[in-house]
Amino acid sequence: MAMERPVQLVLDASLLLEPSDPVGSGGTDEAPPALRRGVEALLRRLRYSNLGVAICHPEEMPTNASGFLEKTAAIYSFGYILLPAPTGNHSLNELMLEWSRTSSCFYATSIVDEDLFSELQNNGWRVIAVDNQCGTKGSGVVNVGKIQELLLTLTALIKKEIASSSVLTVGYAMKQSREEDFAKRGAFPLYPSKNGLIFVPLSFEIPLASQLQEVDIALHKMTDEIINIDPNCSIDFPKGISFSGGMSEIIRFVEEHPSFCIIDPFKNISPLLDRLQIQEILVKLQEFCIEGRPKLRAPQSLKVKNFDAVDLQKRLAEANLLFPIIVKPQVACGVSDAHNMALVFQIGEFSNLSVPLPAILQEYIDHGSKIFKFYVIGDKVFHAIKNSMPNASSLKLSSGDEPLTFNSLKTLPVATKEQVLQTRVEDGKSLDINLVEEAAKLLKDSLRLTIFGFDVVVQEGSGDHVIVDLNYLPSFKEVPDSEAMPAFWDAIRQSYESKKGKMQT
Ligand SMILES: O=P(O)(O)O[C@@H]1[C@@H](O)[C@H](OP(=O)(O)O)[C@@H](OP(=O)(O)O)[C@@H](O)[C@H]1OP(=O)(O)O
Ligand SMILES: Nc1ncnc2c1ncn2[C@@H]1O[C@H](COP(=O)(O)OP(=O)(O)O)[C@@H](O)[C@H]1O
Ligand SMILES: [Mg+2]
Ligand SMILES: [Mg+2]
């Protein structure tokens, strides 16, 4: 994808500031300048958009407002330009003229100024008027009803400028913290990525259907939009799950448009919400093993609906599940207590155990406090080594006769420095990388997911490679951006092309 001309976006003060007294009234009772509703979200997205962005305002703006805008520009590392006072021959700011020569330029504003508009358009700028009362029909100005529609309109205009049929627009929906993590890595350029993808956030404040009609692909982490999961019914999308309004609109749109490319289909993600279904997937993988290579397997597991000791003792024996046992909620993600776990050393410790039910009991694998996090991103497999929980014996010391309860995302009892040092370097029991990479490809074929992660621990003694977790769309933070981002973009395009390929057959 040849990089086209850079894109320059200039945001007029009228678009950004709460309309207070008319500009220049200098009235003393003016409220302090503030950003209009929806502007902070717009600026946050533009910051990592790979577009050139500048804030502009008329020279004669009162200093408290211009100072506020200058500070705002600095916070988001945007440019900051003053529009010359309207003299006879409107002369654009020098910089804007310079940009006209080198870039595709867009001017977004909320006030109509016919002279300025025609001056801009004579210099090749596209003007976008946002939610201004008086329409500006026919003057080549693009009208946008609400500020939440601005980015989608901008991507449509950019795509037209580039006029290359291979450019695809990806609308994305995920929780803000995850979006920020990805955006900071450059994952969501509003300007085509190397392989021709343009990313735009889907707004849950305006109807989703009209937005989805404008994009080629929707990328989502549906587990960020789960309101609750019925723990007593086996999860089988959409059964047992209730979603936010916006996510429900996306789900409905996809049902009504079977050829639309959703990454990933909800039914394909659904098993990863349930640690029992994850276990079943991993047990199937056990059939894959290569002579003379370490065994790749799932932990011995057992689902329980309660922790009543009598019944439990029998069931543990039947499942030949020995202590120590790690106890996890059957619901794997999407709800706040999906990561509340416990390490239990004896049957008595199950009484009043605070792990949500139904629960999955798993053999605890001594793995020298080292975990291998594998990330499958399209047809690429990456892995990172992270500090993990130490061998059970050292955890038992610190927990007396109590179970060790923790939250796996927040308070995982990882090994202390001295515990890591104590761990004998298991000779020959290290990771068999290509065994796991082979398994990763099989997993990808059976899961039919574009991006997923799974955790492998190597059991001390046996050297068994035990897969203890499987996640949909993790953050793969440990993979360098230079490798992770191109893989991320390729994965999305591959999924799109294979979906379109299937539609044709
Ligand atoms: O279990 P892991 O490997 O730590 O992966 C987690 C996991 O994907 C988790 O998602 P979820 O299970 O809550 O859906 C992610 O947390 P949030 O969704 O709360 O952000 C983590 O980002 C994942 O960690 P990692 O990115 O290191 O794989
Ligand atoms: N069966 C197991 N044996 C030993 N350690 C485990 C086992 N299962 C999980 N762990 C440890 O607990 C951590 C959290 O468990 P995991 O299933 O990944 O929970 P989550 O899905 O919340 O991330 C793992 O990263 C690993 O360090
Ligand atoms: Mg995990
Ligand atoms: Mg997980």
Side-chain angles (χ1 to χ4, degrees):
M1 177 75 205
M3 288 306 266
E4 308 283 332
R5 298 196 311 163
V7 169
Q8 189 61 43
L9 171 68
V10 171
L11 304 168
D12 182 83
S14 61
L15 174 75
L16 306 177
L17 292 180
E18 275 299 338
S20 60
D21 304 344
V23 165
S25 72
T28 50
D29 58 351
E30 260 178 25
L35 294 178
R36 292 165 60 157
R37 215 175 78 72
V39 167
E40 189 278 329
L42 171 71
L43 301 184
R44 191 162 32 86
R45 271 74 184 255
L46 286 170
R47 177 178 195 171
Y48 303 111
S49 65
N50 195 8
L51 301 187
V53 182
I55 288 178
C56 88
H57 66 69
E59 260 168 9
E60 68 282 4
M61 170 166 268
T63 46
N64 66 337
S66 62
F68 175 77
L69 287 174
E70 190 165 12
K71 252 203 331 289
T72 304
I75 292 169
Y76 290 93
S77 6
F78 293 159
Y80 173 71
I81 45 185
L82 307 184
L83 276 185
T87 55
N89 56 341
H90 229 309
S91 68
L92 293 186
N93 163 293
E94 265 319 298
L95 200 50
M96 289 168 80
L97 288 173
E98 167 60 29
W99 284 330
S100 313
R101 283 189 280 281
T102 59
S103 314
S104 301
C105 299
F106 299 88
Y107 187 85
T109 179
S110 281
I111 48 174
V112 176
D113 176 337
E114 299 294 356
D115 296 346
L116 173 62
F117 288 4
S118 52
E119 177 86 9
L120 285 164
Q121 288 167 332
N122 295 342
N123 284 280
W125 286 63
R126 294 304 307 270
V127 177
I128 306 171
V130 180
D131 81 1
N132 48 67
Q133 282 58 39
C134 39
T136 43
K137 299 280 170 280
S139 52
V141 173
V142 177
N143 286 295
V144 166
K146 299 179 78 173
I147 195 151
Q148 288 85 349
E149 296 162 28
L150 175 57
L151 288 181
L152 195 55
T153 302
L154 186 60
T155 52
L157 293 172
I158 290 172
K159 198 169 164 183
K160 242 185 247 144
E161 286 272 315
I162 293 177
S164 142
S165 61
S166 73
V167 170
L168 295 171
T169 308
V170 184
Y172 57 84
M174 59 189 74
K175 67 181 178 183
Q176 185 175 326
S177 62
R178 188 187 315 286
E179 177 192 328
E180 284 283 294
D181 288 346
F182 275 116
K184 282 184 185 126
R185 305 179 69 176
F188 298 147
L190 260 164
Y191 180 75
S193 60
K194 288 191 192 61
N195 70 339
L197 300 182
I198 291 181
F199 288 84
V200 62
L202 295 171
S203 167
F204 280 14
E205 296 178 36
I206 51 179
L208 270 297
S210 50
Q211 300 177 69
L212 291 168
Q213 249 128 21
E214 299 292 311
V215 301
D216 302 296
I217 300 165
L219 170 72
H220 68 93
K221 181 151 184 182
M222 79 178 189
T223 50
D224 285 349
E225 295 300 332
I226 285 176
I227 302 298
N228 95 318
I229 291 183
D230 172 0
N232 299 316
C233 95
S234 81
I235 298 168
D236 180 9
F237 175 88
K239 231 163 37 65
I241 315 168
S242 60
F243 292 95
S244 66
M247 194 69 219
S248 306
E249 285 183 64
I250 295 175
I251 292 167
R252 193 171 323 114
F253 180 89
V254 169
E255 275 158 11
E256 290 158 4
H257 300 79
S259 67
F260 181 77
C261 179
I262 181 86
I263 295 184
D264 277 305
F266 311 109
K267 272 216 162 306
N268 299 12
I269 300 170
S270 177
L272 274 63
L273 274 62
D274 177 348
R275 289 193 174 93
L276 185 62
Q277 294 181 52
I278 290 176
Q279 178 68 11
E280 287 153 3
I281 291 164
L282 298 179
V283 164
K284 264 203 242 94
L285 201 62
Q286 285 177 167
E287 290 146 28
F288 162 74
C289 59
I290 305 173
E291 198 45 45
R293 307 284 286 280
K295 190 168 166 28
L296 184 82
R297 68 182 180 84
Q300 200 70 19
S301 294
L302 173 70
K303 168 182 171 169
V304 295
K305 291 199 175 88
N306 59 57
F307 295 131
D308 303 345
V310 174
D311 174 42
L312 198 49
Q313 185 88 35
K314 194 160 53 65
R315 297 199 59 204
L316 288 177
E318 280 160 10
N320 73 12
L321 200 47
L322 305 175
F323 288 100
I325 288 170
I326 185 166
V327 186
K328 309 176 182 180
Q330 180 170 355
V331 175
C333 54
V335 293
S336 57
D337 60 5
H339 304 282
N340 292 353
M341 304 184 173
L343 184 58
V344 171
F345 301 91
Q346 58 196 333
I347 192 79
E349 293 171 8
F350 276 106
S351 58
N352 313 322
L353 195 63
S354 59
V355 174
L357 286 167
I360 302 293
L361 277 49
Q362 271 182 2
E363 68 174 299
Y364 184 77
I365 308 287
D366 279 346
H367 57 281
S369 68
K370 201 161 65 168
I371 191 160
F372 301 93
K373 293 186 76 74
F374 277 80
Y375 299 112
V376 180
I377 306 176
D379 58 9
K380 297 209 180 40
V381 183
F382 301 91
H383 79 276
I385 301 176
K386 269 175 96 169
N387 195 9
S388 178
M389 290 172 68
N391 291 355
S393 51
S394 52
L395 287 168
K396 174 130 185 65
L397 297 179
S398 60
S399 76
D401 274 355
E402 293 299 308
L404 181 65
T405 56
F406 59 91
N407 176 293
S408 67
L409 288 184
K410 301 186 189 107
T411 57
L412 188 70
V414 293
T416 58
K417 276 193 290 303
E418 47 282 350
Q419 284 170 331
V420 173
L421 293 176
Q422 270 160 9
T423 309
R424 285 172 290 110
V425 180
E426 282 283 301
D427 53 349
K429 293 279 185 302
S430 60
L431 180 76
D432 180 332
I433 294 190
N434 49 39
L435 173 78
V436 182
E437 287 179 346
E438 283 309 305
K441 293 201 171 29
L442 292 175
L443 254 186
K444 177 175 170 63
D445 294 343
S446 71
L447 294 172
R448 288 169 300 132
L449 291 175
T450 304
I451 298 170
F452 64 93
F454 62 97
D455 303 342
V456 177
V457 294
V458 178
Q459 182 170 37
E460 291 204 342
S462 71
D464 285 2
H465 286 38
V466 187
I467 303 179
V468 297
D469 189 18
L470 184 57
N471 294 298
Y472 176 62
L473 190 52
S475 58
F476 46 92
K477 294 181 188 87
E478 306 86 359
V479 183
D481 297 358
S482 57
E483 295 170 64
M485 292 302 109
F488 175 73
W489 296 325
D490 288 345
I492 290 170
R493 183 172 278 278
Q494 279 158 21
S495 278
Y496 175 82
E497 274 153 13
S498 78
K499 160 100 184 176
K500 290 300 161 195
K502 284 196 195 94
M503 295 308 292
Q504 263 138 26
T505 48

